[in-house]
Amino acid sequence: MNTSRIRRTAVAVTAVALLPLGVSACSSDSGSGSGSKSSDSKPSESRNKEKEEKGQKPEAASGEFGPACKAVPETGKGSFEGMAQDPVATAASNNPELSTLVGAVKKAGLADTLNSSQDITVFAPTNEAFEKIPEADLKKVISDKKMLTKVLTYHVVGEKLPKEKLAGGSFPTLAKEDLTTAGSGDSYKVNDEAAVGCGNVRTANATVHIIDSVLMPPK
């Protein structure tokens, strides 16, 4: 065997001997990466608890945003995950902050209509939003089914309006009157008056933006 062949054979043997070491090192790196991924895949509740302890903003389940989102239960039918399983009127009935709205929807006979509609957006006033209306005026609206229906359908847009569409636009409602939205980041308003407290809440058939004022259609 000549010297050149001996040298090539030695190189090949060395490479084969080193191969397991390289595979072992790659396996170790992969394991390390996998371990890191595992530590990052904690339940969102645990991560949110850690964030809150550090004074950081909790994570939203599916893109929800706004300061009022922290009041939503973490589990159960009234949680983000729970509401995503039900159509919008049913989902709203599981949120105690929307009980006045739900009562008004039932009185107007709109629950089935809202539950059976597809790809709609509902701007849902909280109980406190209804409390801003003088009691006499609120009773007048509640007792007049035609007026109540007009007010409630003014809160419903016949298309999905995710967060990015709230930055600025005019949208026709089921009341056949337009509403406007404007804002940026996590701060948005409807008709320059009602602030979105918790937006991008998913239900089985609608996107819901919870607002702090009742929208009144143009006269």
Side-chain angles (χ1 to χ4, degrees):
M1 184 180 292
N2 60 38
T3 304
S4 176
R5 181 174 298 179
I6 292 173
R7 191 175 293 119
R8 288 199 300 271
T9 301
V11 170
V13 170
T14 302
V16 170
L18 290 175
L19 182 60
L21 296 178
V23 172
S24 175
C26 289
S27 298
S28 176
D29 290 344
S30 174
S32 175
S34 174
S36 175
K37 183 177 181 180
S38 175
S39 66
D40 289 341
S41 60
K42 297 177 183 177
S44 59
E45 293 86 353
S46 299
R47 294 198 303 271
N48 282 344
K49 185 175 181 180
E50 291 177 2
K51 285 177 175 287
E52 288 175 358
E53 289 174 351
K54 295 176 182 179
Q56 298 175 351
K57 183 179 179 180
E59 295 177 9
S62 303
E64 296 86 2
F65 68 92
C69 289
K70 63 185 179 182
V72 176
E74 290 188 0
T75 59
K77 285 188 170 293
S79 66
F80 290 131
E81 184 176 353
M83 286 189 284
Q85 308 306 313
D86 292 318
V88 63
T90 303
S93 69
N94 294 320
N95 187 329
E97 295 300 319
L98 301 176
S99 59
T100 303
L101 172 63
V102 171
V105 166
K106 290 179 178 179
K107 190 171 182 63
L110 293 173
D112 289 342
T113 299
L114 292 176
N115 278 345
S116 61
S117 299
Q118 294 300 317
D119 297 332
I120 60 175
T121 295
V122 177
F123 291 93
T126 62
N127 295 343
E128 289 186 1
F130 280 96
E131 290 171 4
K132 292 180 181 180
I133 302 174
E135 187 175 357
D137 293 342
L138 181 58
K139 285 183 177 180
K140 183 179 179 180
V141 172
I142 295 292
S143 62
D144 186 332
K145 186 174 181 179
K146 184 177 179 180
M147 185 184 300
L148 179 61
T149 300
K150 179 83 170 179
V151 170
L152 293 176
T153 54
Y154 186 59
H155 291 74
V156 184
V157 174
E159 64 176 289
K160 283 188 175 181
L161 297 180
K163 180 181 180 180
E164 54 268 23
K165 284 195 173 183
L166 300 181
S170 178
F171 306 97
T173 69
L174 298 193
K176 303 187 185 304
E177 301 282 0
D178 292 354
L179 58 74
T180 61
T181 62
S184 62
D186 285 347
S187 179
Y188 297 89
K189 283 194 172 184
V190 186
N191 288 353
D192 293 324
E193 54 177 317
V196 176
C198 183
N200 270 6
V201 179
R202 294 179 302 118
T203 71
N205 67 322
T207 298
V208 177
H209 300 296
I210 300 174
I211 56 178
D212 67 356
S213 297
V214 176
L215 305 174
M216 301 304 292
K219 295 181 179 180

